[in-house]
Amino acid sequence: MLIINKKPYRIFRTLFPVLFSALLLSPFTASAVSSSKDADKLYFENNKYYVFNNVWGKDEVKGWQQTVFYNSPTSMGWNWHWPSSSSSVKAYPSLVSGWHWTAGYTANSGLPIKLSSNKIITSNVTYSIKSTGTYNAAYDIWFHTTDKASWDSTPTDELMIWLNNTNAGPAGDYIETVFLGGSSWNVFKGWINAGNGKGWNVFSFVRTSNTNNASLNIRHFTNYLVGTKKWMSNTKYISSVEFGTEIFGGDGQIDITKWSVDVK
């Protein structure tokens, strides 16, 4: 099920007046929709997920365009035009489960979870990209010290898992190469300065060869951060799991044919 906060543009004559009024006052349910509006969200699967038109670096560029779309559980994604060759991220259109600078978490996501609970988060994704320029395809996973994160809750840590790296590079310094979950990853550790004395740690796992599909157990990565490197406490909460493309510049489209996040 997909829900967007827009009024229906078409009402069949066979609907009763009461139903007609109810539809005008409630979210519109559709099987296919798109949006080019900054920060728009297209909810699906009973609000467990949404496609997010995240253009947080838009102020650096003029003449950009980005559209997110959802057709079905096996057809969703986004396309973009970012006329820039600079080394900064302009956008992160993404699929979101849980929190993203919001008052709470998406319904039925199972999030947040405390790392010490030993619950397992698994995620599957399959996608294809046709693009020029500089970009990645990566998971973005956020951590807080609270299980009640809101729109103004600054995260303490960020875990990125790069499945595709096309002319891009992660924040921070290279640490080592590790083998986790059946694949080899280059590990980077850095700090994001959010201004006004705020910021967070960022840990990036960049796959040593690009792939267009993955079946991940997120605990493989958090165990490395908490147990092996002791960079993070197990008292932290995983607040969200996202998958998207950090776009530095160029033109392209991603088509996602499989997506899931499950907490057990």
Side-chain angles (χ1 to χ4, degrees), residues 148-159:
K148 295 178 176 61
S150 189
W151 63 270
D152 59 348
S153 300
T154 302
T156 59
D157 303 272
E158 178 183 9
L159 163 61

Side-chain angles (χ1 to χ4, degrees), residues 61-123:
V61 182
K62 294 182 179 179
W64 61 271
Q65 180 276 328
Q66 186 170 283
T67 300
V68 296
F69 63 87
Y70 180 91
N71 299 320
S72 73
T74 58
S75 176
M76 66 191 91
W78 45 87
N79 55 66
W80 64 88
H81 169 67
W82 288 95
S84 173
S85 58
S86 72
S87 59
S88 60
V89 175
K90 310 305 181 302
Y92 182 67
S94 51
L95 305 175
V96 178
S97 178
W99 171 93
H100 187 93
W101 276 268
T102 48
Y105 313 82
T106 56
N108 305 311
S109 66
L111 298 168
I113 64 165
K114 200 171 188 177
L115 288 173
S116 61
S117 71
N118 292 321
K119 287 186 176 180
I120 294 174
I121 300 178
T122 57
S123 181

